[in-house]
């Protein structure tokens, strides 16, 4: 009984004369983690490179206020990983890496860690919970971010952020966070995460993505072709096959366009618009086919001539 009373006194706002800690900052459901585009890309690339093994690394950033954690960059850690768990193996590496980053002007602190769950969703295993508890021993606001590089497809990243729940709070039936906003309840938890201890051993934090002008410019340039792509020559067999397919397609479009012109004779403009609504326009497809055929052949011919002269 004395032991329980001591636990209650040590808790913020707890019973048994613990009123002195009632004004101490408590976790809030309005808390957000802002992840930069650079950090997100590096985490996904690292996770993809490690498939089917789990990988891990550290998140750099700063704690802006009681409601905001900003993650601007990440870096990988020496690790021992399997397909279902991962652990860091070199504690000295973190200190050395932070010193080197400090010299390059990257002076942010460690706000948490990330690791991948290739193909089996975002949640924390018992090994992950032990790792997260060691991070929270250093900083109570540290977070654990989980990303699934296999389920993440174009336009949808499967990612989630967690922090442990104090087991004393669960024993006493108290909420792990203050509920002052609906932000913390916007993301619907997956059944898999609930099975593996979500809202019992750890809770989820909302993730937001922000990018500055330089990051936006970098993302816009990702899918742009380099100038050297114009000098690349396709295999002649593939080029011939593509030309034949394109010419056959254009022949069919020409016949369809001829039939459409004959069908439009004797009809008013309004009747033609109503009749052609929702139908494929062979004229536009014919124009795009001609442009593609001409540009492909011109590039192929010029590239072949340059290769002949230069090489």
């Amino acid at each position: 009984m004395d032991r329980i009373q001591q636990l209650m006194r040590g808790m913020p706002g707890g019973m048994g004369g613990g009123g002195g800690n009632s004004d101490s900052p408590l976790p809030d459901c309005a808390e957000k983690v802002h992840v930069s585009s650079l950090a997100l890309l590096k985490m996904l690339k690292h996770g993809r490179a490690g498939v089917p093994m789990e990988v891990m690394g550290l998140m750099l950033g700063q704690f802006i206020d009681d409601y905001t954690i900003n993650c601007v960059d990440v870096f990988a850690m020496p690790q021992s990983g399997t397909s279902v768990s991962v652990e860091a193996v070199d504690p000295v590496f973190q200190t050395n890496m932070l010193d080197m980053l400090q010299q390059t002007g990257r002076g942010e602190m460690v706000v948490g860690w990330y690791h991948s769950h290739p193909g089996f969703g975002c949640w924390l295993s018992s090994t992950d919970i032990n790792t997260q508890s060691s991070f929270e021993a250093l900083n109570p606001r540290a977070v654990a971010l989980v990303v699934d590089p296999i389920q993440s497809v174009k336009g949808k990243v499967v990612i989630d952020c967690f922090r442990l729940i104090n087991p004393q709070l669960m024993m006493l039936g108290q909420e792990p966070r203050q509920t002052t906003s609906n932000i913390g309840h916007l993301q619907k938890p997956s059944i898999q995460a609930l099975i593996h201890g979500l809202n019992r051993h750890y809770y989820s934090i909302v993730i937001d993505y922000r990018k500055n002008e330089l990051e936006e410019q970098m993302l816009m340039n990702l899918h742009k072709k380099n100038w050297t792509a114009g000098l690349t020559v396709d295999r002649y067999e593939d080029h011939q096959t593509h030309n034949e397919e394109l010419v056959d397609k254009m022949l069919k479009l020409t016949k369809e366009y001829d039939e459409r012109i004959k069908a439009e004779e004797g009809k008013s403009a309004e009747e033609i618009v109503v009749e052609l609504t929702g139908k494929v326009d062979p004229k536009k497809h014919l124009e795009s086919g001609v442009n593609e055929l001409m540009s492909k052949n011109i590039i192929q011919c010029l590239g072949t001539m340059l290769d002949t002269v230069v090489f």
Side-chain angles (χ1 to χ4, degrees):
M1 188 65 184
D2 294 337
R3 176 61 176 163
I4 295 176
Q5 290 178 350
Q6 289 175 4
L7 290 175
M8 289 179 176
R9 290 195 195 100
M11 292 174 53
M15 298 184 294
N21 295 327
S22 59
D23 293 333
S24 61
L26 295 173
D28 198 288
C29 66
E31 192 172 10
K32 271 188 179 182
V33 178
H34 295 289
V35 180
S36 69
S37 304
L38 175 65
L40 183 62
L41 281 173
K42 290 174 76 170
M43 283 188 286
L44 284 172
K45 188 175 181 182
H46 187 202
R48 283 275 186 183
V51 172
M53 301 297 180
E54 290 191 15
V55 297
M56 71 172 294
L58 294 183
M59 301 162 56
L60 295 175
Q62 52 189 350
F63 299 102
I64 305 297
D65 52 34
D66 290 343
Y67 305 98
T68 309
I69 301 174
N70 192 21
C71 173
V72 296
D73 201 357
V74 297
F75 65 87
M77 288 275 291
Q79 58 216 251
S80 171
T82 65
S83 58
V84 293
S85 66
V86 63
E87 289 181 295
V89 295
D90 189 358
V92 182
F93 177 85
Q94 175 183 343
T95 307
N96 295 337
M97 187 69 179
L98 290 175
D99 290 340
M100 289 187 288
L101 288 169
Q102 187 81 33
Q103 295 173 11
T104 61
R106 182 64 85 190
E108 288 82 11
M109 62 183 294
V110 176
V111 296
W113 66 295
Y114 75 91
H115 71 288
S116 64
H117 275 187
F120 46 94
C122 298
W123 43 273
L124 295 182
S125 65
S126 57
T127 305
D128 301 334
I129 290 176
N130 291 333
T131 305
Q132 175 62 10
S133 63
S134 63
F135 275 91
E136 290 189 18
L138 300 174
N139 192 327
R141 293 193 63 194
V143 294
L145 195 144
V146 185
V147 61
D148 191 331
I150 293 180
Q151 293 185 16
S152 297
V153 294
K154 189 176 181 181
K156 183 178 184 298
V157 180
V158 179
I159 190 172
D160 208 345
C161 189
F162 304 107
R163 189 183 288 142
L164 299 185
I165 295 175
N166 189 342
Q168 299 173 6
L169 294 175
M170 299 303 293
M171 286 191 298
L172 297 172
Q174 296 185 4
E175 290 290 331
R177 293 184 290 177
Q178 298 181 98
T179 302
T180 60
S181 168
N182 66 341
I183 293 177
H185 307 285
L186 292 178
Q187 184 173 344
K188 186 178 180 181
S190 65
I191 298 177
Q192 197 172 21
L194 292 171
I195 293 173
H196 288 92
L198 180 64
N199 297 330
R200 296 196 311 274
H201 304 299
Y202 51 89
Y203 58 84
S204 176
I205 304 175
V206 173
I207 299 176
D208 193 16
Y209 308 103
R210 288 189 177 181
K211 53 184 181 292
N212 54 33
E213 293 182 3
L214 290 175
E215 289 176 335
E216 190 169 352
Q217 187 177 359
M218 176 192 71
L219 292 172
M220 293 297 290
N221 290 332
L222 277 178
H223 300 291
K224 283 187 177 179
K225 290 185 178 180
N226 199 0
W227 65 271
T228 55
L231 301 176
T232 305
V233 178
D234 297 333
R235 291 179 68 249
Y236 295 110
E237 293 83 0
D238 297 340
H239 184 68
Q240 180 182 354
T241 305
H242 179 73
N243 280 345
E244 291 173 354
E245 292 175 353
L246 203 54
V247 169
D248 290 340
K249 182 180 177 183
M250 289 170 59
L251 180 61
K252 294 178 182 177
L253 289 171
T254 305
K255 293 178 180 178
E256 291 178 8
Y257 186 44
D258 182 56
E259 293 172 359
R260 175 169 292 191
I261 292 175
K262 292 179 181 178
E264 290 176 358
E265 293 179 358
K267 296 182 180 179
S268 64
E270 188 175 342
E271 290 176 343
I272 293 173
V273 171
V274 172
E275 185 179 348
L276 299 182
T277 301
K279 294 184 179 179
V280 176
D281 188 354
K283 183 180 179 181
K284 288 185 178 180
H285 285 271
L286 197 59
E287 289 176 354
S288 64
V290 170
N291 291 332
E292 184 182 353
L293 185 65
M294 293 294 292
S295 60
K296 284 270 188 183
N297 282 278
I298 290 172
I299 292 173
Q300 184 78 0
C301 290
L302 290 176
T304 306
M305 291 166 61
L306 281 172
D307 289 346
T308 305
V309 174
V310 175
F311 303 108

